[in-house]
Amino acid sequence: MVVCDRDFYRNGSLFMNSTGNNPNIHPEWQPEYFGNVIVVNGKAWPYMVVQRRKYRFRIINTSNARFFRFYLSNGLSFIHIGSDSAYLDRPTLSKSTLVAPSEISDVIIDFSKSKSNSAVLANDVVYPFPSGDPVNDANSKVMKFIIKKQRVDDPAHIPKWLIKYSSPNLSTASRTRYISMYEYTSPSNEPTHLFINGLSFDAPVTEFPKVGSSEIWYVINLTEDNHPLHVHLGLFKVLEQTKLLDFDKFKDCMANKNNAERCNVHKHARGKKLDVTKHERGWKNVFKMWPDYATKIYVRFSYIHTNASYPFDATKDPGYVYHCHILDHEDNVMMRPFKLVN
């Protein structure tokens, strides 16, 4: 299921406002694009007729900036078996699932447990996330399932255990990096651009991970938005999410020094810890970086199922990137290159 939000002209062609928030600086760029029509696999608010049995759905959020918190109106649970490109160790259940742009939620829905003959896949999360406007009647609905009344045989079995990949070994991490997310605004407090580590995409490469290595990254979100971080080629596990105390003081220091260690990040990262939801404790391609938090991740630049290096030369140009996966942010320009070395 490829899910996104869009707007349309009456003739069915895509509509996007072509006037930016700061037209004197960026004639067309907007910090986030949101549409009111929810589109699934190319259709607006579609429906699907299902039998009373289990169905597996790989749900990817392909919106520019909209987060979805999916839930089913008839109270059915999601049985999570994977996230992004990796399986979980074992299935986990939830009543809802928060999916950022480019995240994938791999779930099973068992319609045999439904007490109703229909269910709406709905969304209840604010936009922009996490401190935006509430959803309305249009963008709170995603699609409808029409559930056939008659019972059917369903021999499908969900294993108690799926794939057990190797666990992170922090002692093997070759180095620690600090990745800071910045947003810059105009005098009228409108966003103008976003950087990682205070650098544009065009600035020289500053990260040179070794092929086959693992690293610890502290991702420090100095903005008001939640940014889904995507690391190309590398997979990662989220270890901790810790709120930054005396945040304004730390943010002012970072604005002046642009150096997390010199600004004593570990003295500030002593606040409330957010639990990583059970279905997001596996290996990830993308993860949601909360504002005012330092998120500790273990990044591996090799295959997670064998620990083997890549069968191709990953050191070849042009290299790879890591970035916020809100499309409007990565375009201007919350994205940095990195170069793998031997």
Side-chain angles (χ1 to χ4, degrees):
M1 292 168 54
V2 182
V3 185
C4 61
D5 58 337
R6 295 290 183 261
D7 280 321
F8 299 91
Y9 289 102
R10 291 186 178 183
N11 66 5
S13 60
L14 283 169
F15 167 77
M16 179 180 283
N17 187 352
S18 59
T19 302
N21 285 38
N22 293 287
N24 294 331
I25 301 172
H26 302 291
E28 295 185 356
W29 182 74
Q30 302 173 48
E32 291 100 9
Y33 163 79
F34 297 105
N36 278 302
V37 180
I38 307 303
V39 178
V40 183
N41 292 357
K43 292 189 176 183
W45 298 297
Y47 71 89
M48 177 181 179
V49 178
V50 295
Q51 296 179 331
R52 290 184 174 270
R53 62 172 177 85
K54 302 177 191 73
Y55 285 77
R56 177 180 176 180
F57 298 97
R58 280 178 60 79
I59 308 172
I60 181 170
N61 179 359
T62 60
S63 301
N64 277 41
R66 184 183 293 277
F67 288 59
F68 289 98
R69 184 162 53 216
F70 297 113
Y71 69 95
L72 288 157
S73 63
N74 63 347
L76 287 182
S77 296
F78 299 106
I79 305 168
H80 295 264
I81 60 171
S83 182
D84 299 333
S85 61
Y87 282 100
L88 301 176
D89 291 349
R90 56 183 175 179
T92 66
L93 268 68
S94 74
K95 288 293 185 180
S96 64
T97 179
L98 180 66
V99 185
S102 90
E103 269 193 306
I104 299 173
S105 193
D106 198 340
V107 299
I108 292 169
I109 300 174
D110 188 352
F111 290 102
S112 70
K113 298 184 181 299
S114 176
K115 295 180 180 180
S116 62
N117 294 325
S118 67
V120 173
L121 181 64
N123 163 51
D124 66 358
V125 78
V126 299
Y127 63 102
F129 183 76
S131 56
D133 298 321
V135 292
N136 57 37
D137 186 59
N139 57 42
S140 65
K141 297 179 177 66
V142 179
M143 67 173 291
K144 187 175 185 177
F145 294 106
I146 298 173
I147 307 165
K148 289 186 174 182
K149 292 182 180 181
Q150 62 269 30
R151 297 281 172 175
V152 295
D153 290 333
D154 183 11
H157 169 68
I158 303 172
K160 290 184 178 180
W161 295 94
L162 299 169
I163 294 182
K164 179 70 174 177
Y165 303 104
S166 59
S167 299
N169 183 352
L170 273 61
S171 66
T172 64
S174 59
R175 67 168 298 161
T176 298
R177 301 187 191 274
Y178 298 89
I179 308 298
S180 301
M181 296 175 157
Y182 294 86
E183 181 179 71
Y184 303 88
T185 59
S186 67
S188 61
N189 206 35
E190 284 288 342
T192 57
H193 60 288
L194 304 98
F195 281 170
I196 294 177
N197 286 343
L199 297 171
S200 174
F201 176 75
D202 296 322
V205 174
T206 52
E207 284 81 43
F208 295 89
K210 292 182 179 179
V211 174
S213 71
S214 298
E215 298 186 347
I216 301 293
W217 288 17
Y218 286 91
V219 185
I220 301 160
N221 187 350
L222 301 172
T223 80
E224 296 180 357
D225 293 322
N226 188 307
H227 299 284
L229 179 74
H230 182 200
V231 181
H232 285 213
L233 200 62
L235 288 177
F236 58 86
K237 276 202 172 187
V238 182
L239 305 177
E240 288 182 351
Q241 302 174 95
T242 310
K243 189 169 181 60
L244 295 160
L245 301 179
D246 297 322
F247 179 71
D248 289 339
K249 180 180 178 181
F250 176 71
K251 187 175 179 180
D252 288 342
C253 180
M254 289 293 287
N256 292 323
K257 296 181 180 179
N258 188 28
N259 187 303
E261 290 178 287
R262 288 171 60 191
C263 289
N264 299 311
V265 62
H266 292 291
K267 289 186 178 180
H268 291 274
R270 294 183 294 106
K272 175 185 175 183
K273 292 188 182 296
L274 287 179
D275 287 335
V276 181
T277 56
K278 286 184 178 180
H279 60 269
E280 294 185 317
R281 293 177 187 172
W283 290 94
K284 295 282 291 171
N285 296 103
V286 184
F287 191 73
K288 299 167 281 287
M289 302 297 163
W290 282 85
D292 305 1
Y293 272 75
T295 302
K296 182 181 179 181
I297 63 176
Y298 178 90
V299 190
R300 177 172 288 170
F301 295 99
S302 64
Y303 284 133
I304 60 170
H305 56 294
T306 63
N307 280 337
S309 187
Y310 307 113
F312 55 90
D313 185 359
T315 67
K316 284 188 174 181
D317 288 334
Y320 299 89
V321 295
Y322 63 97
H323 59 96
C324 168
H325 221 295
I326 292 175
L327 269 65
D328 314 287
H329 291 182
E330 64 177 275
D331 282 350
N332 190 30
V333 278
M334 198 174 242
M335 179 187 291
R336 286 289 294 149
F338 69 88
K339 188 81 168 63
L340 285 164
V341 297
N342 287 316

